[in-house]
Every structure is written in C-alpha cells, then in structure tokens.
Amino acid sequence: MSSNEMRVAVEEAGFQLNNQLSQIIVARYSDMENLVLDFDNFVSCLIRLEAIFKMFYALPKDGDGFIELGLNQWLTLVMG
C-alpha cells in the first residue's frame, strides 16, 4: 500500500497520528525506493502502535495527558 493508503488504514484501525509520526512510520516500515508498505510491514506497524498506545495508557499520568518515564521505562518502551 502507498503511504497515503497506510495513513487511511491506520486511522480506520483507530489510531490518530500527526504528520510527523506518519512520516516516521513510513520511513521505518516502507520500501524506501517507492514508499510502499507490504502487508507484513503494515501488520507489524499496527501491532507496534497498539502496544505503544496500551503502554501509554497504562502508565501513570497527572491529568494533563503527559507521562513521566524513568530511563529503564523509556528503554523498555522503545526497545520492546
């Protein structure tokens, strides 16, 4: 799928992403020559997004929508 199709599919899956994050996802999961995502990479992307969103909502917040992470929590999140 093209990067535009990916954005629509991600939104239909329930994720609202800004342009910067969409560009990061395309850079990480697509074929860099033509910016096309194959099915396997798209599924991997959705699984990763779901895990990250679940982790975010499970972390303690102080009511303003921001979380505070220690180094080990951050490393676990980005390396997982």
Side-chain angles (χ1 to χ4, degrees), residues 3-77:
S3 57
N4 290 332
E5 291 169 325
M6 182 275 309
R7 177 185 287 256
V8 170
V10 166
E11 287 178 3
E12 287 179 1
F15 301 103
Q16 298 297 318
L17 308 178
N18 63 25
N19 286 336
Q20 182 181 11
L21 189 51
S22 294
Q23 291 171 359
I24 290 168
I25 289 171
V26 169
R28 179 170 180 164
Y29 291 97
S30 70
D31 172 6
M32 290 309 295
E33 289 182 25
N34 54 17
L35 300 179
V36 172
L37 283 82
D38 64 22
F39 181 74
D40 292 342
N41 284 339
F42 178 69
V43 170
S44 295
C45 171
L46 285 183
I47 291 169
R48 178 90 171 157
L49 279 173
E50 183 176 7
I52 290 169
F53 272 78
K54 282 183 179 179
M55 281 188 260
F56 176 82
Y57 289 117
L59 292 169
K61 294 174 260 332
D62 59 6
D64 62 0
F66 290 93
I67 59 173
E68 187 173 317
L69 299 175
L71 177 60
N72 286 333
Q73 289 173 309
W74 171 249
L75 290 173
T76 301
L77 180 64

